[in-house]
């Protein structure tokens, strides 16, 4: 059962369609960790051009979905409500498997360091329990 629905997520982070990449948040410990879900549909606008005969979710959008998961984690903290989280860096990104229509992408981001408005999240995306992408995401809160 979801802790947060898409509507509730949009009350926390500023993303909207077609760039909202989270369908639900399954687990949330504000400021610490979140696990979100994205049900990948053939109707996603990016599949029209990536790639027409072999639809593959772009890796940068998987990383963005992980960042949105991290944003929910950080912006759920009382002192950060109403703020925005921005990318400040992406390190050690690895893509291990294609994500295709019909996949349920599970997105986990854990905040591992935070000093003032800058922090780092360890992010992992899985499909059916297998890692498809991972990265270290640096963010800035404004």
């Amino acid at each position: 059962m979801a802790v947060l629905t898409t509507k509730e997520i949009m009350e926390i982070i500023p993303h909207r369609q077609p760039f909202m990449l989270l369908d639900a948040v399954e687990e949330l410990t504000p400021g610490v960790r979140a696990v979100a879900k994205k049900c990948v549909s053939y109707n996603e606008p990016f599949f029209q051009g990536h790639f027409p005969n072999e639809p593959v979710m772009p890796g940068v959008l998987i990383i963005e979905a992980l960042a949105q998961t991290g944003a929910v984690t950080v912006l759920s903290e009382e002192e950060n409500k109403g703020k925005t989280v921005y990318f400040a860096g992406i390190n050690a990104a690895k893509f291990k498997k294609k994500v295709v229509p019909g996949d349920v992408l599970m997105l986990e981001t854990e905040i591992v360091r935070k000093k003032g408005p800058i922090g780092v999240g360890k992010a992992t995306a899985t499909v059916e329990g297998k890692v498809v992408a991972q990265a270290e995401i640096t963010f800035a809160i404004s």
Side-chain angles (χ1 to χ4, degrees):
M1 188 160 122
V3 173
L4 299 172
T5 64
T6 304
K7 182 178 178 184
E8 293 166 321
I9 294 166
M10 291 190 307
E11 292 173 5
I12 298 170
I13 63 175
H15 302 78
R16 298 295 180 264
Q17 294 300 335
F19 214 65
M20 167 56 76
L21 297 174
L22 307 179
D23 292 326
V25 172
E26 303 288 318
E27 298 175 38
L28 175 62
T29 305
V32 178
R33 175 180 173 270
V35 177
K37 176 170 70 173
K38 166 69 176 162
C39 298
V40 182
S41 164
Y42 187 77
N43 295 327
E44 309 282 353
F46 51 79
F47 284 137
Q48 293 177 27
H50 198 271
F51 301 101
N53 296 320
E54 184 186 356
V56 176
M57 185 171 183
V60 295
L61 293 182
I62 297 170
I63 298 297
E64 173 63 27
L66 288 164
Q68 289 180 19
T69 303
V72 169
T73 306
V74 172
L75 297 178
S76 293
E77 290 184 284
E78 194 60 41
E79 67 266 22
N80 294 327
K81 290 189 188 255
K83 295 183 179 177
T84 302
V85 176
Y86 297 96
F87 262 125
I90 303 167
N91 294 309
K94 295 180 182 173
F95 303 95
K96 301 187 177 268
K97 185 177 182 269
K98 292 189 291 187
V99 175
V100 298
D103 284 346
V104 176
L105 192 58
M106 298 304 298
L107 307 149
E108 179 179 351
T109 301
E110 177 183 0
I111 307 307
V112 294
R113 287 189 305 274
K114 188 174 167 210
K115 186 173 182 178
I118 306 296
V120 175
K122 178 183 173 190
T124 305
T126 60
V127 172
E128 296 181 358
K130 294 184 174 132
V131 174
V132 296
Q134 54 194 24
E136 182 181 272
I137 299 169
T138 303
F139 60 87
I141 303 168
S142 175

